[in-house]
Amino acid sequence: MKRIAVIGAGGWGTALSLTLARLGHTVKLWAYEAEVAESISARRENELFLPGIPIPESVVATNDLGAALEGAEIIVTAVPSHVCRGLYERMLTHLLPEMTLVSATKGLETERLLRMSEVIAEVTGPKFAPCLAVLSGPSFAREVACGQPTAIVVASDDRPTARLIQQEFSSSSLRLYT
């Protein structure tokens, strides 16, 4: 099992955290909003973004970005596209070349019309070339969180990285295709 940090505790990040925890991974979920991390820790529910869905004890919520990233083997970002660059700039001091980065962010960087994978590569490039994959596809956070059947795509320039994410993230209800 892997140590996974999910950066972004909106509906999609929370749903991915639930799925990964159910698969037996160690999951740290970073929330920008302190009240979201507190809600998850105290009541085991993301009352703001995914109300009514119980979150297992194995998902550790935090508002401390460094704590979320510490020891992670895989980092999943599920944040709004307009904050992706700034967030990766903040994360950079915590990132290591051996970490696999997975973008689950939808959309483009509005100013330069870059895909999130391009933004991430640009930010991390001076330090190291990232091992990077992207999740995409028609999906709804609540359906994934409830375990309803969903299929998404994992893409990467590196086939072993795509296969790793496919293997580690796929469950009986969430299927990833490379």
Side-chain angles (χ1 to χ4, degrees):
M1 296 294 106
K2 301 289 185 188
R3 294 180 311 275
I4 301 175
V6 177
I7 307 303
W12 187 221
T14 301
L16 289 171
S17 295
L18 291 168
T19 300
L20 295 166
R22 289 175 187 149
L23 288 167
H25 297 294
T26 301
V27 180
K28 292 181 188 175
L29 175 60
W30 177 79
Y32 173 77
E33 303 88 351
E35 64 272 16
V36 171
E38 291 166 10
S39 168
I40 293 169
S41 297
R43 293 176 288 289
R44 307 312 308 167
E45 180 180 342
N46 186 335
E47 295 169 327
L48 184 60
F49 294 109
L50 207 56
I53 306 290
I55 298 173
E57 294 287 334
S58 56
V59 175
V60 176
T62 182
N63 182 245
D64 181 331
L65 189 57
L69 295 169
E70 185 177 353
E73 298 169 272
I74 299 172
I75 298 168
V76 180
T77 48
V79 298
S81 59
H82 69 275
V83 302
C84 188
R85 180 178 295 277
L87 186 60
Y88 264 92
E89 288 169 349
R90 286 182 52 206
M91 291 169 44
L92 192 56
T93 59
H94 304 282
L95 300 179
L96 302 171
E98 59 270 17
M99 293 173 163
T100 300
L101 308 179
V102 180
S103 175
T105 296
K106 298 170 183 160
L108 299 172
E109 185 180 51
T110 53
E111 292 176 8
R112 298 182 53 210
L113 300 178
L114 296 176
R115 297 184 311 272
M116 293 304 103
S117 57
E118 294 171 313
V119 171
I120 294 165
E122 214 173 75
V123 172
T124 60
K127 186 174 178 183
F128 62 89
C131 192
L132 179 61
V134 176
L135 297 181
S136 181
S139 59
F140 296 97
R142 181 163 290 281
E143 292 177 0
V144 171
C146 290
Q148 294 179 5
T150 305
I152 60 177
V153 172
V154 57
S156 179
D157 288 337
D158 181 62
R159 186 174 296 276
T161 298
R163 287 193 178 133
L164 169 74
I165 300 306
Q166 179 186 38
Q167 175 185 333
E168 298 298 337
F169 287 41
S170 290
S171 69
S172 59
S173 61
L174 180 64
R175 299 287 173 95
L176 276 73
Y177 294 92
T178 60

